[in-house]
Amino acid sequence: MKDQVNIPPKKCSRVGAALTLKCPNCCNAPLFINQNPYNFKTMGKMPDECPNCGQDFVIEPGFYFGAAMISYVIQVFMIGICAAVVYLVGGREPLQYIISISLVILVTAPYVMVVSRGLWLSIFVKKEGEPD
């Protein structure tokens, strides 16, 4: 809680905060040091706490392993959508499925990883003003 700014919390949902990569408590401060998930040098690096509201982002060691399950579910859903689109477009060859699904996963994996972390954190963080 060293450099808190204390901007009043915005009205946003937990999912909205995760999708925009903001603190799930105040919805103001960035959840990651670099908001661009495709910057591979700093991808996934988070501050220890929210610079605005002081929400702890490091709840316990290994906390974000649970985000892998959320990421898995999102990726499986995207694979299903991609396979359905390839099928509806007329794809019947296995190579068409392999190439399209591989491209979708490669392009979206960094964003899905950081959103999964945001979703996982938002499950365990009580928003300001929420009843106990």
Side-chain angles (χ1 to χ4, degrees), residues 44-79:
K45 290 188 179 177
M46 301 173 73
D48 291 338
E49 63 184 24
C50 176
N52 182 46
C53 67
Q55 171 63 48
D56 189 14
F57 291 157
V58 185
I59 295 178
E60 63 185 36
F63 174 73
Y64 289 103
F65 283 125
M69 293 296 112
I70 293 176
S71 179
Y72 176 76
V73 169
I74 293 170
Q75 292 286 9
V76 167
F77 179 75
M78 288 177 18
I79 288 169

Side-chain angles (χ1 to χ4, degrees), residues 8-61:
K10 289 182 183 176
K11 288 270 189 196
C12 73
S13 67
R14 293 171 187 265
V15 174
L19 291 176
T20 57
L21 307 178
K22 299 290 184 183
C23 171
N25 185 23
C26 68
C27 298
N28 284 316
L31 194 55
F32 294 90
I33 292 173
N34 185 343
Q35 289 293 91
N36 180 2
Y38 295 95
N39 183 342
F40 297 117
K41 259 188 158 174
T42 59
M43 178 174 70
K45 290 188 179 177
M46 301 173 73
D48 291 338
E49 63 184 24
C50 176
N52 182 46
C53 67
Q55 171 63 48
D56 189 14
F57 291 157
V58 185
I59 295 178
E60 63 185 36

Side-chain angles (χ1 to χ4, degrees), residues 84-92:
V85 168
V86 170
Y87 179 79
L88 292 173
V89 169
R92 301 293 185 260

